[in-house]
Amino acid sequence: MNLLDAEVGREYVISGIQTDDEEMDDFLFSLGCFSGESITVVSHTRNGYVISIKDARYTIDRFLAQAIQI
C-alpha cells in the first residue's frame, strides 16, 4: 500500500520508498521520510498531499506520494 491509499488523520509507518530515481530518494530522505518513520496525511490538496513527518509539515505531489510505501 502506498501513501495514495492513506486515510487523512491516521498515522502510518513507512515500510519503504519505491523509486528508481536516486534524486527523489535523496529528497524524501532529506524530509525524514525513510523506513520505520511515522507519517500522517494531514490533508489532500488539488495538486497532492500535506503530510506530517517528525513534527514538520510538507506538501508533496501524487508522484512522491506514490513512491512512499506504508
Side-chain angles (χ1 to χ4, degrees), residues 4-70:
L4 296 177
D5 303 318
E7 295 177 28
V8 173
R10 183 172 171 200
E11 187 174 289
Y12 295 91
V13 176
I14 299 170
S15 63
I17 304 298
Q18 190 172 41
T19 179
D20 294 329
D21 186 343
E22 188 175 324
E23 205 171 300
M24 182 192 311
D25 195 38
D26 290 343
F27 174 72
L28 289 171
F29 187 80
S30 74
L31 299 181
C33 189
F34 49 84
S35 293
E37 189 61 47
S38 296
I39 188 169
T40 304
V41 175
V42 177
S43 66
H44 295 279
T45 64
R46 184 175 2 155
N47 298 325
Y49 297 83
V50 176
I51 59 170
S52 175
I53 304 172
K54 292 186 177 180
D55 298 325
R57 290 186 179 192
Y58 305 101
T59 301
I60 61 171
D61 62 16
R62 292 180 58 81
F63 189 65
L64 287 171
Q66 188 173 11
I68 302 170
Q69 302 299 305
I70 52 175

